[in-house]
Amino acid sequence: METNRTTTLTQDELYELPNTNNNNNRRPTPHLTTHYYFSIAFKSVYATSLLFFITSFVIVSCESTAAGSGSNSTCPASCECIYASQLDRDKRADLNACLGGNLETALVLKCKLNASNYGWPERIPTGTRAIILDDSNLGQAKLSKLASESWYKDIFYLSVSNTELTNLETGGFSMFHSLRCIDFNTNDIHSRTWGSGMVPTAELRTLDLSHNHIHRLNETSFTGMAELRRLCLSQNFIVTIKPFTFEDLDKLEYLDLTTNALSVAGLQTASLFGLTSLKHLAMGENKIFDTVPQVVGKGLYTPKLETLDLHGYTRLETLKKGAFKDLNCLRKLNLSGSGVSQIEIGWLDIETHGQLEVLDISDNRLLHLEVHSFAATSPKEGDTLHKLHHLKWLSLADSRSLMTLDGAAFNFVPNLIFLFLQRCNISRMNVAANDPLNPNKMNLHVTLSSLKAIWTFGNSLRCNCHVRALLEASLPPPAPTCETNPLRGTTSCDVDTTTKYPPLLLDPPTYTWEGHEMSVVSPFATPCCYLENKDALTKEEMWERVPFARAHLEDLVCETDRITVFISIVLGPLAFAAAILVAFLCGFARTLVRRFKLYHSGEYRVMDQKKGLEMRRNQAAGGGGGNYGNKEGVHEKSSTSDHHQHHHQAKKLVHSNLQFRHGTNVVMNKLKTTSLSVPQHSHEMSRLADDDRSYPDMSTRP
């Protein structure tokens, strides 16, 4: 038996020990010496020191390079350096549109300047792409041009908003060679201090001058801004826009003139000339009254407008036929708060507005909706109504004068997705377009098969069949019923083959539109209706507010309108029969009056005398040997039987001809036939019968 012993090994021998899993060949683990520990510690310290010196050398080199180029990695005094992803939502969206993404690596310099420190920072950190001087107290101070322009060559976004900035020095921003977006909103900039030479224009894409004191625009206001895409001039005091003001802005797509003092006279001819690429025009809350401005007449000769915002006109009153006839690409129309009380048929044209997707006519004075309110017409077909297949978003919210809603108003918007009816005064919301003779059988999906959400809060809805239609549409489709046959061991299910629709959302707090989540403020937690309490003792207790979730479907019914049924079943056919009878009597009376007028005028008597004279002459000529009759082309007499036969036929022809020409009145026919003699030759009688009240003068006959 081998005894265990402690063996001291060198470091080289330690790493040469065999590595095996055989327990029989395993050697005893040696004890590590103090020399080994010191060796490991020395190597660690050496590696750490070397890494520290290399890092320090790299940092010093970078600082030297930055110092040579005019920038460093530290923030200037009174400034804050943050990344673009840390900005608020609005600023982040503006910066993202300006930079085209890459917000994670873009550095933003936020500074607050004052009267004593209002100059540009002397140095900016490397990688800075935006400078924000918001909320600074500049006042009458000027931002002067810097000596070195290379420091700001990579700045793309500049915001100087809410600074009370008044004076803009010419060329004060010229060192921003690559500047794309400028935000000057909420300042004290006036018309006399603003001009296109104040800012660099070579690469400028966005210019925001909203909330300032600009009151007129002329042809030098935006000279040279050929690359400008977005221009905001809202919340100013603009009274006049001179012709050719936007002549150089042929690439402008967005123009906001909301909340100014523009009038029909201030929007002059050719004021919008040059805006050949304009897609969004906002002119709401101006002093343009009574009519919709015809943008083509103001210089916009090739309109490509997709969005037109005319909210807040207050006195528009009537949407007249052809009001938007020049907008061939219109997709979004905002007429909210415009005082609209009447909608004429044909205000939308199917050839021009067939692509309309969004229509906002909320906060108006509409009393009722007609079947043509949301339908288009064609100039080639008169007043024939056409469907708006692309309309998906419709708002009638805050229409306090709207009390009833008939479903026929939505018959021409079959693909509607979102319908806003909140805060109106509607008590009967017949969205499903039910049959008045059978009001309790209706389906909302038949009328609006694509409807996803509807907002009804803030109305005085009655708990009736119309609310039931909304609740039934909000329920999920029923599950199939299955039955199992225990004898055969099979299961059969009744599968509904009808089209499955997603449940309708009633008053959802949010919805998604064009990839963005939109919110709707609702004062009520849940939609509700008012149920009549017939056992109530007081007037206040007559109507009970019931949430939709607690309403029983069997109680939500509509009583059949007895007056409607009576008119449809009884009075309708009677009125039709009476109309036919009246028409017949009027025609008969007119004919009778005309016959009496002819009789009393003596026209019949003259005609009868001429006919009698002609017949007597023919009879005398026929009885005198036939010489005269042969001269006139009359056949000679044959036999006695033929003579009686012709005489009988002629007599019948006289009576039928007189009845046909002079009416069926028995008294008048008797008066006429008493003065006539029956001719003996049928050929002469036929010739006289074919004459149309024109007889030859028999006195000239030989």
Side-chain angles (χ1 to χ4, degrees), residues 53 69 89 169 190 207 285 312 386 421 492 526 557 571 673:
F53 283 115
S69 61
R89 180 179 178 180
E169 185 178 355
H190 295 265
L207 178 61
E285 298 185 17
H386 296 268
L421 299 171
S492 60
T526 56
V557 295
L571 295 185
T673 55

Side-chain angles (χ1 to χ4, degrees), residues 216-412:
R216 66 175 178 271
L217 299 173
N218 53 36
E219 59 275 6
T220 62
S221 298
F222 309 104
T223 303
M225 299 183 183
E227 300 297 327
L228 196 64
R229 302 294 198 279
R230 184 183 180 93
L231 177 59
C232 299
L233 296 168
S234 61
Q235 299 286 339
N236 277 278
F237 300 93
I238 300 176
V239 178
T240 303
I241 299 179
K242 294 292 184 179
F244 308 105
T245 296
F246 308 107
E247 184 178 8
D248 294 344
L249 308 183
D250 57 344
K251 295 183 180 180
L252 190 69
E253 298 178 356
Y254 183 98
L255 177 60
D256 188 359
L257 295 170
T258 307
T259 317
N260 281 285
L262 280 172
S263 62
V264 177
L267 195 63
Q268 301 178 8
T269 304
S271 292
L272 303 179
F273 179 81
L275 300 176
T276 57
S277 301
L278 192 64
K279 296 181 179 180
H280 180 103
L281 177 61
M283 298 179 63
E285 298 185 17
N286 278 279
K287 294 183 178 181
I288 303 176
F289 296 146
D290 301 330
T291 182
V292 176
Q294 300 297 324
V295 294
V296 172
K298 305 303 178 183
L300 198 61
Y301 296 111
T302 56
K304 298 180 181 179
L305 279 180
E306 296 181 359
T307 303
L308 180 60
D309 186 356
L310 300 176
H311 75 277
Y313 270 27
T314 66
R315 291 177 58 186
L316 194 57
E317 294 184 0
T318 303
L319 297 180
K320 299 181 180 180
K321 184 175 182 179
F324 306 95
K325 62 181 179 180
D326 303 315
L327 308 178
N328 300 326
C329 303
L330 194 63
R331 293 178 56 247
K332 300 179 181 179
L333 180 60
N334 185 2
L335 298 173
S336 61
S338 300
V340 177
S341 59
Q342 184 179 359
I343 300 177
E344 291 185 358
I345 184 172
W347 76 286
L348 292 177
D349 186 358
I350 188 61
E351 298 179 0
T352 304
H353 311 116
Q355 303 298 322
L356 189 64
E357 297 181 4
V358 176
L359 178 58
D360 188 355
I361 53 175
S362 59
D363 193 17
N364 281 287
R365 297 193 292 266
L366 291 171
L367 299 177
H368 58 277
L369 299 176
E370 303 290 346
V371 66
H372 64 263
S373 297
F374 309 117
T377 59
S378 175
K380 301 178 182 179
E381 301 178 9
D383 293 337
T384 303
L385 300 180
H386 296 268
K387 294 182 179 181
L388 297 172
H389 291 282
H390 294 273
L391 189 62
K392 301 177 181 178
W393 195 99
L394 176 60
S395 177
L396 294 167
D398 298 301
S399 298
R400 299 294 182 180
S401 301
L402 191 60
M403 302 182 65
T404 59
L405 189 64
D406 294 328
F410 305 107
N411 287 347
F412 292 89

Side-chain angles (χ1 to χ4, degrees), residues 596-628:
F596 273 107
K597 285 183 178 179
L598 290 174
Y599 178 74
H600 288 291
S601 62
E603 185 176 350
Y604 280 142
R605 194 176 304 277
V606 175
M607 293 167 54
D608 293 342
Q609 291 177 357
K610 288 184 178 181
K611 280 192 176 182
L613 182 59
E614 179 71 19
M615 290 179 183
R616 291 191 187 96
R617 282 183 171 274
N618 292 336
Q619 185 177 5
N627 295 330
Y628 178 76

Side-chain angles (χ1 to χ4, degrees), residues 395-676:
S395 177
L396 294 167
D398 298 301
S399 298
R400 299 294 182 180
S401 301
L402 191 60
M403 302 182 65
T404 59
L405 189 64
D406 294 328
F410 305 107
N411 287 347
F412 292 89
V413 285
N415 298 322
L416 194 64
I417 297 178
F418 299 110
L419 180 58
F420 298 86
L421 299 171
Q422 68 270 22
R423 294 187 299 270
C424 296
N425 197 20
I426 302 174
S427 60
R428 187 187 65 181
M429 189 174 292
N430 183 11
V431 181
N434 66 311
D435 185 4
L437 299 180
N438 195 1
N440 296 312
K441 290 184 179 180
M442 54 186 173
N443 188 354
L444 181 61
H445 293 303
V446 174
T447 306
L448 301 173
S449 58
S450 302
L451 193 63
K452 292 184 179 179
I454 184 172
W455 285 264
T456 62
F457 64 86
N459 287 284
S460 303
L461 294 178
R462 301 292 186 263
C463 296
N464 50 23
C465 60
H466 308 301
V467 175
R468 178 176 180 172
L470 295 176
L471 294 180
E472 289 178 346
S474 64
L475 298 176
T481 57
C482 300
E483 296 181 356
T484 303
N485 192 339
L487 298 179
R488 297 182 179 180
T490 59
T491 302
S492 60
C493 299
D494 296 334
V495 181
D496 189 6
T497 58
T498 58
T499 305
K500 299 296 189 301
Y501 298 97
L504 179 66
L505 301 178
L506 298 177
D507 297 286
T510 60
Y511 68 99
T512 303
W513 177 256
E514 294 182 347
H516 301 284
E517 184 175 353
M518 315 297 290
S519 60
V520 179
V521 180
S522 174
F524 303 103
T526 56
C528 62
C529 63
Y530 291 88
L531 182 63
E532 185 178 4
N533 185 8
K534 297 182 180 180
D535 298 331
L537 300 178
T538 60
K539 186 177 181 180
E540 290 76 10
E541 300 176 354
M542 183 177 297
W543 298 99
E544 179 184 0
R545 185 170 177 267
V546 180
F548 284 177
R550 293 195 297 108
H552 300 286
L553 295 180
E554 57 272 10
D555 297 335
L556 302 178
V557 295
C558 293
E559 296 182 0
T560 305
D561 192 353
R562 299 178 181 179
I563 298 178
T564 304
V565 175
F566 179 75
I567 294 175
S568 301
I569 298 177
V570 180
L571 295 185
L574 291 178
F576 180 72
I580 295 178
L581 181 60
V582 169
F584 175 76
L585 293 177
C586 290
F588 180 77
R590 180 175 177 274
T591 303
L592 189 61
V593 170
R594 183 179 179 184
R595 298 300 183 187
F596 273 107
K597 285 183 178 179
L598 290 174
Y599 178 74
H600 288 291
S601 62
E603 185 176 350
Y604 280 142
R605 194 176 304 277
V606 175
M607 293 167 54
D608 293 342
Q609 291 177 357
K610 288 184 178 181
K611 280 192 176 182
L613 182 59
E614 179 71 19
M615 290 179 183
R616 291 191 187 96
R617 282 183 171 274
N618 292 336
Q619 185 177 5
N627 295 330
Y628 178 76
N630 291 332
K631 292 181 181 180
E632 296 298 324
V634 182
H635 295 288
E636 297 181 354
K637 296 189 290 182
S638 58
S639 62
T640 307
S641 60
D642 294 337
H643 172 74
H644 289 291
Q645 185 178 0
H646 288 302
H647 178 76
H648 180 69
Q649 292 179 356
K651 185 176 181 180
K652 292 175 60 177
L653 182 60
V654 168
H655 286 283
S656 60
N657 183 61
L658 292 174
Q659 290 179 358
F660 174 77
R661 288 186 176 275
H662 305 299
T664 59
N665 188 282
V666 179
V667 178
M668 295 173 63
N669 288 334
K670 286 184 178 181
L671 292 174
K672 290 181 288 185
T673 55
T674 54
S675 61
L676 297 178

Side-chain angles (χ1 to χ4, degrees), residues 112-129:
K112 286 189 177 182
L113 306 181
N114 50 45
S116 59
N117 181 23
Y118 57 84
W120 298 108
E122 295 182 357
R123 294 184 179 183
I124 59 176
T126 305
T128 302
R129 297 292 179 266

